[in-house]
Amino acid sequence: MSANLDWWRGAIIYQIYPRSFMDSNHDGIGDIPGINAKLDYIASLGVDAIWVSPCFKSPMKDFGYDISDYRAIDPIFGDLGDFEQLIEQAHARDIKVMIDQVLSHTSDQHAWFEQSRQNKTNDKADWYVWSDPKPCGAPPNNWLSIFGGPAWQWDSRRRQYYLHNFLDSQPDLNFHNPEVQQAVLDNIEFWLKKGVDGLRLDAITFCFHDQELRDNPAKPEDERAGRGFSEDNPYAYQYHYYNNDRPENIGFIERLRALLDTYPGSVSLGEVASEDSLATMAEYTKGDNRLHMTYSFELLTKDYSVDYIRSTVETLENALGDGWPCWAVGNHDVERVATRWGDIANATATQKARFAKMITAMVCSLRGSVCLYQGEELGLTEADVAFEDLQDPYGVEFWPTFKGRDGCRTPMPWQHKAINAGFSNGKPWLPVDSTHADISVDLQESDENSVLNTYRQFMAWRKQSHVLTKGDIEFIDLHKDVLAFYRIAKTAGGNLEKVLCCFNLSNSDINLDLGEIVCKADMTPQCLHTADLDKNSLYLPSFGCFYALL
C-alpha cells in the first residue's frame, strides 16, 4: 500500500452498494465475497478507494442504514473474516477501503435502544432523544421525518416520544450525552484497528438536536426546493434549524478527527444536508482538525445547467478556504445521472454514451475528490421498478409521485446472456433491468470505445495529471452551454501549469471562438477526442470534451 497520507486529495472513490454488486452464494442478495470476487474489475477502473455502503448487522428496514450492531457483519453479507479478507485483498491492489458509518441514529433493535426504552432510570435512559408529550398528548414540537410524517414516535413503555429523523425504526441518539459520543467513537476505532482507511459519515449533520425542542419555522413555497428528498415531501415545508446542523456538532467532529489522526492516513468524508449545505461543507472542513472532506446533494439535483454547476462550485470555493471538497453526481439515494441529466429527447445511443463519458470527465475535472457510484462506468440508466417490486419504504410512502430509491439500486449487469445478467442465479432482491443487460460489463469489455473502457482510459490519464488532481480552479465564460474552466498548479520545478477544460453540456454541436486564449497543445485523451481545434476556433460536438495546455 502507498504510504501517501494525502492520498484522499483528488482521489476517485468508487461507491459499492453491496446488496446489488455481486451475489456469491446465489441467495439474490449481493455480499462481501461477491465484492472480493470483483476486486480485479474494480482495480481495472483506476479508482483509488472503495466506499462500501453499510454491511453491518441490521433488521434491514432501511437496508443497512438501521444498524443493530456496529461491530458485526450482517450474515446476509458474510462475516467478519470476509470483511478482513476484503481489506487485505483491496490493499494488495493498492485500493483503500472506506466504510459507511451511520452515527446519528441506530436501529430500534440495537441493544442500546432496547435498554433505553425500558424506563427513565436505566443506565442508557438518556442515550436517545426522549420527550414528554404536550398536555394534549401531541408530540413535543413540529419536527418532521424525511421519510414522511412526524419525527416523533410514541413509546408505551416509557410513555414518552422518541425522535427519529428517518424511519420510526431508526431512533436518534442523544449526542448531548458524552457517553454516547464516546461509545460511537469506540465503535469507529474498532474498524480503524481492523485496517479501514476511511469513513463515509452518513447524515453527519443530524447528530445533535436543539435541547429546547423549539419548533422549526415554516418555509415559503418558493423556497421548497428539495435536496436529496422528494419535492412533494412536506419535509421541504420547514427550515430545519433545530433538528439539523446544530453548532454543537463541530465539537464532536473535532473529537472524531482527533481519533482519526491517531491512525495516520485514515480519512473522513461527511455527507452534508442542511439549509445551506455549501456553507456547512466549508464550516465542517475548516482548518486541520475537522473533517477531511465533505459532499452534499448540490450536484445530485435535476439541474445541470452551466450556470448552476458553475455557481455551485464557485460558491463553495469562495467559502472553503483551506478546506477540500468532494463531488458526486450520483449515488444510492438519487435517480441515476444517466437518466436524471442524460434523458435527452431524440438523443441517439451514441450520443447517450458520449453523455455518460462527458459527465464522468466533467466531475472528475473539478477541484476536489470524487465519489462515483457503481454502474456509472457503464452508463446505467434509472431502472423502472414496478410498485409490487418496490423495497424502499421511502418509495412506498410517496408513490406514485416519487418512486423511491430502488431504481438506482438494481443489480449490476455483468454478463448479458447469463441469468439475471450474471448477478445471481437466485431471484434478485430487486429485478435486473432488461435494458441494463444490453450494456453489461462483458459486452463493453470487448468494445474499445465503450463507456467502460473510456472510463478506464480517462482515469489512467487523470491520475498522471497533477493539475487535475491537485490544482486550483478558475471558471471562464465561453458559451451558455459550455462549462469551461482553467485548472492551475505549480509543477515540481516551480513553473505554472495551466489547463483549459471545456464540456459541452448540450445535445447540439457548438463552434467556439477562443479569442485571446492560446492553446499550446491539445491534451484531450484519445478516449474522449471528439473536439477539433483550428487555431483559435474550437469545434465541440454534442456532449464533447476538450482539454488544452496553455
Side-chain angles (χ1 to χ4, degrees):
M1 284 290 291
S2 169
N4 177 19
L5 302 185
D6 260 359
W7 66 266
W8 50 277
R9 291 186 182 271
I12 301 296
I13 302 165
Y14 183 77
Q15 183 194 355
I16 295 174
Y17 194 70
R19 296 182 71 90
S20 299
F21 194 64
M22 182 65 196
D23 176 17
S24 70
N25 61 0
H26 304 295
D27 63 355
I29 298 173
D31 45 45
I32 296 171
I35 300 173
N36 287 332
K38 295 297 183 181
L39 280 173
D40 285 339
Y41 168 81
I42 295 168
S44 79
L45 299 177
V47 300
D48 301 288
I50 55 174
W51 148 24
V52 184
S53 289
C55 51
F56 312 109
K57 190 173 181 182
S58 166
M60 299 295 164
K61 299 288 183 63
D62 191 23
F63 301 105
Y65 285 89
D66 51 324
I67 298 172
S68 58
D69 188 341
Y70 285 84
R71 302 190 186 194
I73 299 298
D74 195 283
I76 66 170
F77 295 124
D79 57 30
L80 197 55
D82 294 322
F83 193 84
E84 290 169 341
Q85 183 181 8
L86 172 62
I87 295 174
E88 178 184 350
Q89 293 300 315
H91 286 177
R93 293 164 173 80
D94 203 24
I95 299 171
K96 309 287 187 181
V97 179
M98 301 179 67
I99 58 172
D100 229 320
Q101 286 291 277
V102 188
L103 307 185
S104 70
H105 58 266
T106 71
S107 164
D108 61 357
Q109 296 182 30
H110 195 290
W112 295 347
F113 187 72
E114 290 180 342
Q115 180 177 345
S116 183
R117 74 191 316 181
Q118 293 306 314
N119 54 58
K120 301 176 184 178
T121 58
N122 68 79
D123 290 342
K124 292 185 172 53
D126 193 37
W127 278 44
Y128 291 81
V129 183
W130 295 97
S131 179
D132 292 328
K134 290 181 177 179
C136 65
N141 61 29
N142 70 348
W143 297 353
L144 297 172
S145 162
I146 289 178
F147 288 166
W152 297 97
Q153 178 66 31
W154 179 254
D155 186 82
S156 59
R157 296 168 184 82
R158 285 186 50 145
R159 299 180 65 81
Q160 285 184 305
Y161 285 97
Y162 65 82
L163 176 67
H164 61 93
N165 279 295
F166 299 91
L167 294 175
D168 60 14
S169 58
Q170 295 171 299
D172 276 66
L173 285 162
N174 177 20
F175 272 75
H176 291 285
N177 185 333
E179 292 181 354
V180 169
Q181 293 188 37
Q182 189 57 54
V184 166
L185 294 173
D186 289 345
N187 284 336
I188 289 172
E189 188 163 23
F190 174 85
W191 294 103
L192 293 173
K193 289 178 177 178
K194 292 288 182 186
V196 301
D197 303 287
L199 316 171
R200 182 266 183 182
L201 302 166
D202 182 72
I204 190 60
T205 56
F206 284 92
C207 289
F208 283 83
H209 67 286
D210 175 49
Q211 287 185 292
E212 297 179 39
L213 302 182
R214 286 171 284 186
D215 281 349
N216 282 324
K219 181 180 289 186
E221 186 173 356
D222 61 352
E223 295 185 30
R224 295 174 186 171
R227 288 290 184 272
F229 48 86
S230 169
E231 293 177 1
D232 66 340
N233 188 338
Y235 192 79
Y237 286 41
Q238 296 180 354
Y239 291 108
H240 295 277
Y241 294 148
Y242 296 120
N243 65 319
N244 184 19
D245 192 25
R246 301 298 299 158
E248 299 94 333
N249 216 21
I250 295 299
F252 172 71
I253 284 172
E254 291 174 349
R255 288 191 67 188
L256 171 58
R257 177 60 181 265
L259 170 62
L260 291 171
D261 286 348
T262 65
Y263 292 83
S266 60
V267 304
S268 51
L269 167 62
E271 178 196 38
V272 168
S274 67
E275 292 299 334
D276 188 346
S277 292
L278 298 177
T280 303
M281 290 172 72
E283 183 181 24
Y284 280 25
T285 56
K286 192 176 187 179
D288 60 1
N289 65 338
R290 298 181 182 178
L291 300 183
H292 294 80
M293 50 186 172
T294 57
Y295 81 92
S296 70
F297 286 82
E298 255 57 32
L299 295 188
L300 299 174
T301 60
K302 293 278 189 182
D303 192 347
Y304 75 104
S305 65
V306 168
D307 286 345
Y308 177 74
I309 294 175
R310 175 175 175 172
S311 66
T312 297
V313 176
E314 284 187 322
T315 299
L316 179 60
E317 286 290 330
N318 291 335
L320 204 55
D322 55 0
W324 188 257
C326 185
W327 298 105
V329 295
N331 65 21
H332 64 293
D333 280 333
V334 297
E335 187 178 31
R336 281 197 175 272
V337 67
T339 298
R340 195 177 76 251
W341 286 0
D343 191 12
I344 298 99
N346 303 317
T348 65
T350 299
Q351 288 170 325
K352 289 182 177 180
R354 189 184 294 166
F355 171 85
K357 298 174 185 179
M358 181 271 294
I359 285 298
T360 295
M362 183 276 289
V363 72
C364 290
S365 297
L366 298 174
R367 175 180 175 268
S369 304
V370 184
C371 288
L372 295 172
Y373 183 43
Q374 66 182 47
E376 288 178 8
E377 74 273 22
L378 304 176
L380 290 190
T381 54
E382 183 81 353
D384 186 12
V385 181
F387 179 77
E388 58 269 22
D389 293 323
L390 284 185
Q391 301 292 323
D392 183 13
Y394 197 7
V396 173
E397 178 70 23
F398 287 99
W399 178 275
T401 57
F402 175 64
K403 297 182 179 180
R405 302 164 295 178
D406 289 330
C408 66
R409 297 177 175 184
T410 56
M412 278 279 288
W414 295 101
Q415 300 171 307
H416 72 292
K417 288 187 177 180
I419 296 172
N420 298 316
F423 166 73
S424 175
N425 289 343
K427 182 181 178 181
W429 76 285
L430 281 173
V432 177
D433 191 296
S434 59
T435 64
H436 288 179
D438 297 334
I439 51 175
S440 61
V441 171
D442 65 332
L443 287 178
Q444 295 203 37
E445 291 271 14
S446 60
D447 178 3
E448 65 178 0
N449 296 315
S450 67
V451 176
L452 173 60
N453 282 322
T454 298
Y455 184 105
R456 289 167 167 160
Q457 294 169 51
F458 176 82
M459 294 306 173
W461 175 77
R462 177 187 181 275
K463 189 169 287 189
Q464 302 305 311
S465 173
H466 176 75
V467 71
L468 286 180
T469 55
K470 300 290 196 300
D472 294 328
I473 190 168
E474 179 185 327
F475 286 87
I476 59 172
D477 292 315
L478 286 181
H479 188 281
K480 67 180 181 65
D481 292 325
V482 176
L483 186 72
F485 49 83
Y486 301 127
R487 296 297 308 276
I488 307 164
K490 282 189 177 180
T491 65
N495 297 319
L496 202 64
E497 182 178 357
K498 192 172 185 179
V499 173
L500 171 67
C501 308
C502 300
F503 306 93
N504 183 356
L505 303 187
S506 77
N507 194 21
S508 300
D509 298 348
I510 295 174
N511 286 292
L512 291 173
D513 181 359
L514 297 182
E516 301 299 318
I517 300 174
V518 178
C519 299
K520 294 179 181 178
D522 183 347
M523 292 179 58
T524 313
Q526 193 61 40
C527 59
L528 295 174
H529 207 292
T530 55
D532 183 23
L533 178 67
D534 181 13
K535 296 182 179 178
N536 279 42
S537 179
L538 175 64
Y539 167 73
L540 204 56
S542 62
F543 311 127
C545 309
F546 177 71
Y547 297 82
L549 180 65
L550 304 184

